[in-house]
Amino acid sequence: MDHQSTHSAADADLPRVTLLSDAADPVRVISAAGAFDLGSLQQLQDVLAETAGDAAVRTVLDLSRVTFGDSSLLNLLLSTHSEQNLVLAGPLSPPVHRLFQVTGTDTIFAIAPDLDAARSA
């Protein structure tokens, strides 16, 4: 594997969070990408906290590009779910799907198959 391929693979796991909607939109859309664990969760936590106090009808979190999540991600999502109308958008990667399935939280969260379905959920 050459250096370029290694660099690209490493970049895929860097956590990135983007707020895709503005205050005029009644649905907040947040895109998350990369791997999320206790050490990399702060940006997602900050953006979710920022949206918690606004007048949005729901918050959609696009997890389709999240490659990994551990119990700290799960705890953040559960906490957010208890404070606001949170809808998760897939398709979920196998590790993220397994996290929800093994913990039984796939029955707690509203998980839409894609972003369009989540926005209208």
Side-chain angles (χ1 to χ4, degrees):
M1 187 181 320
D2 64 21
H3 180 70
Q4 182 72 19
S5 298
T6 303
H7 183 70
S8 296
D11 286 349
D13 283 339
L14 290 175
R16 294 174 309 283
V17 179
T18 308
L19 181 60
L20 300 175
S21 57
D22 61 32
D25 191 340
V27 177
R28 293 289 167 270
V29 180
I30 301 166
S31 173
F36 289 89
D37 59 20
L38 185 59
S40 63
L41 205 58
Q42 190 63 52
Q43 185 183 14
L44 179 58
Q45 186 173 355
D46 291 346
V47 172
L48 286 170
E50 181 182 314
T51 63
D54 64 22
V57 173
R58 89 179 57 76
T59 299
V60 172
L61 178 58
D62 181 359
L63 297 177
S64 63
R65 296 180 328 176
V66 172
T67 57
F68 173 80
D70 69 1
S71 61
S72 59
L73 173 64
L74 185 61
N75 285 332
L76 174 60
L77 297 179
L78 286 167
S79 171
T80 303
H81 175 69
S82 70
E83 298 169 358
Q84 55 185 300
N85 183 4
L86 179 66
V87 179
L88 307 178
L92 302 177
S93 69
V96 174
H97 181 261
R98 181 164 167 70
L99 174 68
F100 294 138
Q101 192 174 40
V102 166
T103 59
T105 53
D106 56 344
T107 62
I108 294 173
F109 293 114
I111 304 174
D114 58 41
L115 190 54
D116 288 338
R119 284 187 60 85
S120 61

